Amino acid sequence: VVIGKGSDFETPLDQLGLGPVDTLDITIPAGAPKQELAITPENLAKGKELLAKAATTHGGLKAIKAVKTVSAKGVSSISTPGGDFPIPVEMVYQFPDKIRTQADVMGQKVIDIRNGDVGWKTDRTGGFAEKSADEIKEDATETARNTLILLSRVEDSTLKAVYAGEGEIDGIKVSKVAILGENGEAFVTVGIDALSGQVRSKEYWGKGMMGEGNLMEVYSDYKKSGAVMMPMTTTQSMDGQKMMVIGLTEVTINGVVPPGSFDKP
């Protein structure tokens, strides 16, 4: 279980002392039936066109490709039956495959690191455990969903982006684009504001506080950081039930990354 995904970062939550999962309200609506994608030349072309519009809106392809590191600070407010539980978080991302997140939970620092094909995370004892191959694979999939990485690939001939119809996010009309993986299946569907071109949402199957399910991330409060636009607020839900709100207070593009940030703690 993780926090921070909404801002394209993640931090472990399974050992944060918030009580067992069964203390949460797990009465959730069933997920929507899976819709078959019409993978036609027209829909592939329209999918790329929508991503290109989003890339322009977010600062332009040149500026997006120039992003090497992203650092951020903020608070993840976890939704619980007793109210929201705020957790300060710090994150640093070095493209394409290095990420470190740190959460401060009641004085305990909980750290999660990916450094290429290896990684470590705080375990239940307060020590550090090496990530399994499956966990590294999950990290790589999460990285592939990163908004800046997706938009940087808009001219990549290997990127398959399929127009998947229209929808509405918080009263805003969005055009949906499904991104296909190597197996030909969609691993994330991006909702792009039909007017502004901003990325407003992502939908995918993933892990949350209640196990696996259909995750939705909704992005808002866009601000410019360097030459690119970044969302400062993200609301994440699973199968229609709100799980957390991530509010960023600081985002730095291409700042100095402390030496050893991605080394084994």
Side-chain angles (χ1 to χ4, degrees):
V1 182
V2 295
I3 63 175
K5 279 182 177 290
S7 51
D8 288 322
F9 298 99
E10 57 184 62
T11 299
L13 184 60
D14 56 353
Q15 68 275 41
L16 298 191
L18 297 183
V21 171
D22 60 12
T23 62
L24 296 176
D25 177 9
I26 57 173
T27 306
I28 53 178
K34 183 177 179 181
Q35 295 182 341
E36 292 296 326
L37 285 174
I39 306 176
T40 65
E42 293 78 14
N43 283 343
L44 285 166
K46 187 168 183 178
K48 279 289 189 77
E49 179 184 333
L50 288 165
L51 282 185
K53 179 179 180 180
T56 299
T57 299
H58 282 252
L61 188 56
K62 182 178 179 180
I64 291 171
K65 285 187 172 183
V67 176
K68 305 302 180 185
T69 66
V70 181
S71 302
K73 294 181 180 180
V75 175
S76 286
S77 295
I78 312 299
S79 297
T80 75
D84 291 344
F85 188 93
I87 300 176
V89 292
E90 296 183 19
M91 304 154 276
V92 60
Y93 211 152
Q94 182 172 305
F95 293 120
D97 59 3
K98 293 179 173 61
I99 180 171
R100 175 191 177 98
T101 64
Q102 178 175 301
D104 187 355
V105 185
M106 296 179 288
Q108 178 186 356
K109 295 189 185 304
V110 181
I111 298 171
D112 187 276
I113 296 172
R114 179 197 173 196
N115 189 343
D117 58 1
V118 295
W120 306 271
K121 62 181 181 179
T122 302
D123 62 22
R124 294 181 183 275
T125 69
F128 292 94
E130 186 169 352
K131 289 188 172 184
S132 67
D134 285 344
E135 287 173 320
I136 293 296
K137 185 177 180 180
E138 289 177 6
D139 286 350
T141 300
E142 188 62 38
T143 297
R145 295 189 187 107
N146 180 280
T147 300
L148 294 179
I149 286 181
L150 284 174
L151 297 181
S152 73
R153 296 182 59 206
V154 68
E155 293 182 345
D156 185 346
S157 61
T158 66
L159 178 67
K160 304 300 182 184
V162 184
Y163 171 65
E166 303 295 309
E168 191 172 286
I169 302 294
D170 292 342
I172 297 173
K173 183 179 178 182
V174 297
S175 299
K176 297 185 177 184
V177 179
I179 310 298
L180 307 186
E182 293 181 357
N183 60 1
E185 302 249 341
F187 68 92
V188 64
T189 298
V190 181
I192 299 173
D193 190 315
L195 293 178
S196 72
Q198 287 182 340
V199 172
R200 286 291 178 181
S201 67
K202 288 185 200 147
E203 301 172 67
Y204 57 92
W205 181 268
K207 292 182 178 180
M209 290 180 290
M210 296 170 289
E212 292 188 320
N214 295 306
L215 288 172
M216 166 76 82
E217 296 171 0
V218 177
Y219 308 116
S220 58
D221 299 330
Y222 271 92
K223 292 184 179 179
K224 202 165 189 178
S225 181
V228 300
M229 297 295 292
M230 299 288 288
M232 303 300 286
T233 302
T234 301
T235 301
Q236 187 184 79
S237 60
M238 174 179 279
D239 294 328
Q241 181 172 341
K242 179 181 171 183
M243 293 197 305
M244 71 185 74
V245 176
I246 303 109
L248 299 181
T249 57
E250 181 181 323
V251 178
T252 303
I253 302 293
N254 292 336
V256 176
V257 175
S261 292
F262 309 105
D263 294 344
K264 181 178 179 180

